[in-house]
Amino acid sequence: KFTYMNMLWLRHPEQLADLSLDMNYDPMRRYDSVDAKLQGQLQDLRDIIPRKFHKEFENHMFWKEFKKQMQQQCSNGISQIRLYAGPAIFDCKASDLATVTGRMRFKEEIGFVEEADGTTRYKALCPILYKEYEGRHDKTKIFLNPALFQAQHVLSADNQLQPIGASTNIPYQDDMEYYLKYLNKGLLTEDHHVLAIFQAWNDHFYPNS
């Protein structure tokens, strides 16, 4: 549940065993530093895991196993999406998502760019994040593409969903934190563009609420 509802990976989970709760923690600055990210993770985990298990947080083996199980859930989830939901989400054939070669046709949609010197990379603000992408960042359209849920990895050449793609070198964890920082800050400052994103998805998933 934590993997799907909170975050796909933990940042430096081995450090959480020795981390104390910071009563001055500021959610606004959660993604500004590694220390803030660690504290944010700890705060989330204390909220979602029953109090009777909090003593296990001091056990390094607990975090090693927790990390292992989170990675397993990531792999299970992405495999199921590719196998059962991917073709409908992306309007393609199942065979297009079944192999690395097949998924390469989507590389531009998930941010692949080739620089003038021939080097290549995947940009975080990739076309698939936007509704009706027009070649540039538009804060009125970002995160409003209906095909967003785990879309970047579903379409990538990477077989496993890991913090850094083994084949593409896409920094999935860094990108995820970049997106979360954008959304988190927008919520806390009541940015109307970010509030509109949440309203759009609420309307999509809970149309009668």
Side-chain angles (χ1 to χ4, degrees):
K1 178 180 178 181
F2 181 79
T3 303
Y4 294 133
M5 300 300 293
N6 290 71
M7 61 188 72
L8 295 175
W9 305 278
L10 290 177
R11 177 73 68 175
H12 302 305
E14 69 281 357
Q15 296 184 27
L16 294 175
D18 303 314
L19 189 65
S20 299
L21 198 65
D22 183 359
M23 303 309 296
N24 296 315
Y25 165 71
D26 181 2
M28 178 80 76
R29 310 190 69 83
R30 172 171 182 155
Y31 298 100
D32 289 356
S33 67
V34 172
D35 287 344
K37 291 174 184 177
L38 289 171
Q39 189 62 220
Q41 290 176 168
L42 182 62
Q43 300 270 351
D44 284 351
L45 288 160
R46 287 177 63 90
D47 287 342
I48 199 170
I49 295 178
R51 182 183 295 272
K52 63 181 180 180
F53 297 116
H54 287 184
K55 61 182 180 180
E56 296 296 333
F57 289 5
E58 300 175 7
N59 186 340
H60 286 269
M61 291 303 297
F62 170 82
W63 293 114
K64 183 176 181 180
E65 184 64 21
F66 198 90
K67 178 182 179 181
K68 177 182 176 181
Q69 294 303 322
M70 285 185 71
Q71 182 58 57
Q72 184 61 54
Q73 289 303 313
C74 285
S75 297
N76 292 346
I78 209 66
S79 295
Q80 294 298 309
I81 292 171
R82 276 182 176 157
L83 182 62
Y84 297 110
I89 294 173
F90 304 111
D91 190 25
C92 64
K93 298 178 181 178
S95 58
D96 292 331
L97 302 178
T99 65
V100 171
T101 302
R103 294 193 297 274
M104 286 300 290
R105 60 172 281 201
F106 301 104
K107 63 182 182 180
E108 283 81 14
E109 292 183 50
I110 60 173
F112 179 85
V113 292
E114 183 172 354
E115 307 292 0
D117 61 1
T119 59
T120 60
R121 64 184 178 89
Y122 285 83
K123 58 183 180 180
L125 296 179
C126 52
I128 202 166
L129 295 178
Y130 299 84
K131 180 179 181 180
E132 300 172 355
Y133 183 67
E134 297 181 342
R136 58 182 176 80
H137 171 62
D138 186 337
K139 59 185 178 181
T140 68
K141 296 181 178 181
I142 192 169
F143 299 123
L144 292 177
N145 185 344
L148 267 183
F149 180 67
Q150 291 197 5
Q152 187 180 34
H153 181 265
V154 170
L155 299 179
S156 81
D158 296 309
N159 288 321
Q160 299 293 323
L161 180 55
Q162 299 172 321
I164 298 177
S167 297
T168 63
N169 286 321
I170 294 176
Y172 294 110
Q173 185 170 20
D174 288 343
D175 286 355
M176 178 67 71
E177 290 179 349
Y178 179 86
Y179 305 149
L180 290 173
K181 180 178 181 179
Y182 178 92
L183 295 170
N184 185 62
K185 183 176 180 180
L187 280 178
L188 294 173
T189 59
E190 298 186 356
D191 183 296
H192 69 278
H193 294 105
V194 172
L195 294 178
I197 292 171
F198 280 89
Q199 186 60 55
W201 286 104
N202 282 339
D203 291 343
H204 177 77
F205 288 111
Y206 311 106
N208 299 318
S209 62

